[in-house]
């Protein structure tokens, strides 16, 4: 509970000290029964459970980028990519749903395809003409979208007609100046659209289009330039990539990078892990140039082996703790507040006082719960005068009595027979390494030992499983009866360790520890003494 309470309370304090930064309380293990009850009774949401702090896609995901509509012309995508120096643009349909991506790759494939094979056909949307071509719509046709090849009416009439007839029954879009005979032919055949070139004003159009049902667009530029731009009026939907692997903001950085580099794509869309239809943004190859490092404050521990997975890939900013120091090297100087007190919550309360920030009633209750739990209602041998003073002051702020609040908290300690042994071991589990030996110690608080014999075989089996999974040499569970101030130690075999422990052995792998409650101060020193004796 101390770890959970201090994480929540220190995040609250840091958000008040540094409102420009968002500090989030997280936990990397299960909540025990006592902590669940206390948080629920106080109306506090438990810190978010995180399995690791490896960098994820959400750490490199920028705000939603520029987007285009499916009916926008390719010309617009080309211009945005050039002007903004970007490589990928997301595309949305008329219902504001993500439809696909358009990138340099799709544009290049489109332009290259024009140069190889037979006469290309294009998807035209006449509403795009005035976005791409310098000119105006002279006559709006019945058909707004169509597929057609492009024919230029620059050859002699007979040659032009012969070439057009080779395309039939597919009718082309005609690009031509005011050449009456070819225009008359196009109107008779009801081509889907005609683009007139080299005309400045509507009054300069001398041909009668009254019987024509297609679109007439007037381009003020010459035929060659009109043709170049006309191709780029093709809607983006005709070239966009709409087939892509599902990538969410929770994917690990390395996994997402591999997904992208194993394709020929310039980028991938990112969706919500909770709602796969919710588009969040785009990651491109540039996104993976620099590996991000998540920023972490370690509270109630300082050793990497006891921390969340991936801590070696994070930037540790601070350490707030009351355990022995086994800190890993850091790249830069960091703030460390470590004191030999009974609870890390005491240290955080002192930080409130140092910063001159008042402790509100809810925060006072959370901090008090952490102190009461870790010092066993101020009875643990680890309890200091600083803990007692903090507990009294916090109780006054919270309107609580220390003894009554403590009895309420400890009345919801675990019943061994109701717990999953593996979950119980891992809920409050710390690892230590000395003399080449990796030790893992879990601790659970109970109100009775009566069901211990019943669950002992399952606990031993779970200890062996945890030992294998976490590659430990010696694994144990300290079962503490807080009301009797009495503990039992259950451990896996480790060389001749059982013979050397000073604790009273009741059975193989089971020790009786009267008047012992503290793993840190009363049990760990004896374990380290034995390990040193066996390995020195």
């Amino acid at each position: 509970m101390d770890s959970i309470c201090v994480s929540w309370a220190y995040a609250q304090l840091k958000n008040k000290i540094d409102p420009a930064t968002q500090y989030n309380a997280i936990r990397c293990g299960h909540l025990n029964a006592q902590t669940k009850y206390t948080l629920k009774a106080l109306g506090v949401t438990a810190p978010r459970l995180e399995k690791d702090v490896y960098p994820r896609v959400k750490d490199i995901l920028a705000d939603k980028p520029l987007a285009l509509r499916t009916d926008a012309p390719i010309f617009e995508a080309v211009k945005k990519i050039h002007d903004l120096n970007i490589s990928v643009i997301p595309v949305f349909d008329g219902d504001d749903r993500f439809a696909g991506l358009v990138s340099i790759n799709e544009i290049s494939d489109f332009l290259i395809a024009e140069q190889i094979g037979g006469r290309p056909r294009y998807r035209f949307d006449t509403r795009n003409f005035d976005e791409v071509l310098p000119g105006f719509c002279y006559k709006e046709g019945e058909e707004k979208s169509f597929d057609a090849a492009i024919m230029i009416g620059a050859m002699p009439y007979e040659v032009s007609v012969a070439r057009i007839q080779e395309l039939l029954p597919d009718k082309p879009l005609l690009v031509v100046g005011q050449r009456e005979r070819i225009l008359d032919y196009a109107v008779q055949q009801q081509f889907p659209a005609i683009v007139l070139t080299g005309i400045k004003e509507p009054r300069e159009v001398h041909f009668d289009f009254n019987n024509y049902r297609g679109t007439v667009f007037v381009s003020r530029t010459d035929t060659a330039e009109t043709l170049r731009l006309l191709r780029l009026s093709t809607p983006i939907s005709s070239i966009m990539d709409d087939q892509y692997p599902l990538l969410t903001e929770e994917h690990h950085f390395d996994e997402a990078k591999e997904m992208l580099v194993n394709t020929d794509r310039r980028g991938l869309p990112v969706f919500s892990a909770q709602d796969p239809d919710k588009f969040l943004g785009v990651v491109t190859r540039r996104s993976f140039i620099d590996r991000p490092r998540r920023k972490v404050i370690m509270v109630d521990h300082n050793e990497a082996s006891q921390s969340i997975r991936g801590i070696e890939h994070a930037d540790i900013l601070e350490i707030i703790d009351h355990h022995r120091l086994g800190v890993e090297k850091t790249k830069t100087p960091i703030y460390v507040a470590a004191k030999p007190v009974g609870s890390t919550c005491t240290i955080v309360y002192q930080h409130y006082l140092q910063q001159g920030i008042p402790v509100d009633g809810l925060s006072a209750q959370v901090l008090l719960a952490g102190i009461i739990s870790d010092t066993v209602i101020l009875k643990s041998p680890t309890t200091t005068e600083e803990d007692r003073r903090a507990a009294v002051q916090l109780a006054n702020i919270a309107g609580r009595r220390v003894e009554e609040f403590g009895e309420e908290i400890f009345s919801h300690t675990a019943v061994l027979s109701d717990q999953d042994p593996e979950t119980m071991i891992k809920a409050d589990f710390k690892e230590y390494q000395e003399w080449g030996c990796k030790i893992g110690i879990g601790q659970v608080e109970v109100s009775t030992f009566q069901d211990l014999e019943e669950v002992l075989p399952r606990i031993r089996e779970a200890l062996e499983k945890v030992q294998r999974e976490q590659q430990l040499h010696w694994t144990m569970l300290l079962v503490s009866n807080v009301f009797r101030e009495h503990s039992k130690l259950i451990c896996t075999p480790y060389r001749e360790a059982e013979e050397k422990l000073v604790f009273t052995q009741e059975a193989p792998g089971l020790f009786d520890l009267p008047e012992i409650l503290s793993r840190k101060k009363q049990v760990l020193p004896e374990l380290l003494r034995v390990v040193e004796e066996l390995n020195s």
Side-chain angles (χ1 to χ4, degrees):
M1 186 183 291
D2 186 37
S3 296
I4 297 298
C5 290
V6 75
S7 178
W8 184 89
Y10 198 55
Q12 299 289 314
L13 175 60
K14 292 296 290 185
N15 281 319
K16 292 177 181 177
I17 296 173
D18 180 17
T21 304
Q22 179 64 43
Y23 294 82
N24 299 298
I26 68 167
R27 57 186 170 95
C28 50
H30 298 286
L31 299 175
N32 60 29
Q34 183 189 94
T35 306
K36 286 180 182 177
Y37 163 78
T38 304
L39 295 182
K40 184 177 180 180
L42 296 178
V44 171
T45 301
R48 185 178 70 248
L49 177 65
E50 291 278 2
K51 295 181 179 179
D52 59 65
V53 287
Y54 291 113
R56 286 183 166 83
V57 168
K58 60 186 175 185
D59 298 317
I60 57 173
L61 192 62
D63 294 336
K64 285 189 179 180
L66 167 78
L68 294 174
R69 314 296 297 184
T70 51
D71 55 3
I74 293 174
F75 176 82
E76 190 170 344
V78 172
K79 191 172 188 308
K80 297 296 184 188
I81 286 174
H82 176 268
D83 293 348
L84 302 176
N85 191 28
I86 55 178
S87 57
V88 176
I89 303 176
V91 183
F92 291 81
D93 63 17
D95 296 323
D96 289 328
R97 290 192 301 256
F98 176 79
L101 297 177
V102 63
S103 71
I104 297 173
N105 288 6
E106 286 73 45
I107 294 170
S108 298
D109 290 346
F110 169 77
L111 296 175
I112 291 172
E114 291 186 322
Q115 310 304 321
I116 57 178
R119 183 186 293 268
R121 287 169 57 84
Y122 301 92
R123 181 69 181 171
F124 289 108
D125 187 325
T126 58
R127 290 162 292 196
N128 285 346
F129 289 176
D130 61 354
E131 294 186 38
V132 175
L133 296 169
F136 54 90
C137 182
Y138 184 80
K139 178 182 176 65
E140 190 172 320
E142 297 174 359
E143 192 176 11
K144 302 295 188 295
S145 298
F146 54 87
D147 294 323
I150 298 175
M151 175 62 70
I152 301 174
M155 297 173 288
Y157 172 75
E158 291 76 10
V159 177
S160 294
V161 170
R163 293 291 180 88
I164 291 170
Q165 288 179 341
E166 291 175 2
L167 300 177
L168 298 178
D170 295 329
K171 298 174 182 178
L173 179 151
L174 180 65
V175 180
V176 66
Q178 289 199 79
R179 302 183 66 184
E180 187 170 339
R181 291 185 68 191
I182 191 67
L183 284 173
D184 187 59
Y185 179 80
V187 169
Q188 290 177 24
Q189 296 293 324
Q190 292 296 327
F191 285 6
I194 297 171
V195 178
L196 295 174
T197 62
I199 298 174
K200 302 297 182 182
E201 301 296 337
R203 56 185 170 80
E204 298 177 20
V205 178
H206 303 307
F207 190 83
D208 182 5
F209 289 103
N210 286 331
N211 296 324
Y212 181 52
R213 297 192 299 272
T215 294
V216 178
F217 190 89
V218 174
S219 171
R220 292 191 174 98
T221 189
D222 58 69
T223 300
E225 181 66 4
T226 297
L227 181 62
R228 182 183 74 82
L229 295 174
L230 190 60
R231 295 183 180 118
L232 297 178
S233 73
T234 300
I236 288 175
S237 57
S238 64
I239 68 166
M240 72 181 183
D241 177 15
D242 58 1
Q243 301 295 321
Y244 36 79
L246 180 61
L247 179 64
T248 75
E249 82 277 24
E250 295 299 334
H251 270 85
H252 283 188
F253 176 88
D254 292 331
E255 183 183 1
K257 181 179 180 179
E258 185 175 356
M259 288 172 65
L260 182 55
V261 299
N262 286 337
T263 72
D264 58 359
R265 293 179 171 89
R266 293 296 182 118
L268 291 175
V270 181
F271 299 91
S272 167
Q274 286 71 40
D275 181 3
D277 292 327
K278 184 179 180 182
F279 172 79
L280 298 180
V282 171
V283 289
T284 66
R285 292 174 180 265
R286 294 181 195 172
S287 306
F288 297 96
I289 293 175
D290 295 320
R291 183 187 180 91
R293 295 176 67 89
R294 306 183 87 177
K295 301 185 188 311
V296 175
I297 296 175
M298 300 173 74
V299 295
D300 202 39
H301 70 295
N302 65 79
E303 298 184 49
S305 61
Q306 297 175 5
S307 195
I308 193 167
R309 285 183 298 172
I311 192 72
E312 67 277 9
H313 297 291
D315 286 333
I316 299 171
L317 304 182
E318 300 181 26
I319 294 175
I320 313 293
D321 194 22
H322 68 141
H323 295 93
R324 69 166 199 164
L325 289 177
V327 184
E328 301 290 328
K329 287 183 179 180
T330 59
K331 292 184 177 180
T332 58
I334 65 170
Y335 177 76
V336 179
K339 299 181 73 173
V341 292
S343 168
T344 314
C345 283
T346 297
I347 303 174
V348 170
Y349 171 60
Q350 293 171 348
H351 277 68
Y352 270 90
L353 299 179
Q354 292 166 9
Q355 294 292 330
I357 295 176
V359 184
D360 61 87
L362 180 58
S363 297
Q365 292 182 84
V366 172
L367 288 167
L368 180 58
I371 294 173
I372 286 173
S373 175
D374 225 28
T375 64
V376 195
I377 320 179
L378 306 179
K379 296 176 184 177
S380 170
T382 60
T383 309
T384 67
E385 283 304 314
E386 292 181 62
D387 298 302
R388 294 187 180 92
R389 187 162 52 249
V392 170
Q393 293 172 1
L394 288 168
N396 289 335
I397 296 170
R400 294 272 194 171
R401 293 175 62 88
V402 174
E403 288 290 333
E404 290 179 0
F405 193 28
E407 289 175 6
E408 179 186 342
I409 289 172
F410 280 101
S411 67
H412 291 82
T413 51
V415 176
L416 291 176
S417 56
D418 293 342
Q419 305 295 311
D420 172 64
E422 185 178 349
T423 301
M424 181 172 59
I425 291 166
K426 291 180 176 179
D428 183 7
F429 192 77
K430 293 190 182 294
E431 293 182 17
Y432 305 90
Q433 184 165 351
E434 294 288 346
W435 298 93
C437 177
K438 292 178 67 176
I439 307 171
I441 316 171
Q443 184 170 16
V444 60
E445 293 163 341
V446 298
S447 55
T448 179
F449 290 136
Q450 289 183 354
D451 53 352
L452 178 59
E453 185 175 351
E454 174 191 345
V455 300
L456 192 57
R458 291 193 291 129
I459 292 177
R460 284 179 168 146
E461 184 179 338
L463 283 171
E464 290 171 357
K465 181 181 178 183
V466 171
Q467 180 166 307
R468 288 193 303 271
E469 288 178 348
Q470 302 187 202
Q471 299 181 327
L472 304 171
H473 297 99
W474 199 10
T475 312
M476 57 204 73
L477 176 66
L478 185 66
V479 183
S480 299
N481 186 322
V482 295
F483 295 112
R484 291 175 53 189
E485 298 185 41
H486 196 145
S487 296
K488 302 284 186 178
L489 184 66
I490 309 164
C491 62
T492 60
Y494 174 65
R495 298 176 61 178
E496 301 85 28
E498 294 187 27
E499 302 171 9
K500 297 183 178 295
L501 287 170
V502 297
F503 306 134
T504 302
Q505 188 167 15
E506 293 185 336
L510 177 63
F511 293 84
D512 186 47
L513 285 66
E515 299 182 0
I516 287 181
L517 292 175
S518 173
R519 168 179 51 187
K520 173 180 64 177
K521 195 167 184 178
Q522 296 172 300
V523 177
L524 180 61
E526 172 62 8
L527 300 178
L528 296 180
R529 180 194 67 79
V530 170
V531 168
E532 181 179 1
E533 186 175 332
L534 288 172
N535 293 285
S536 62

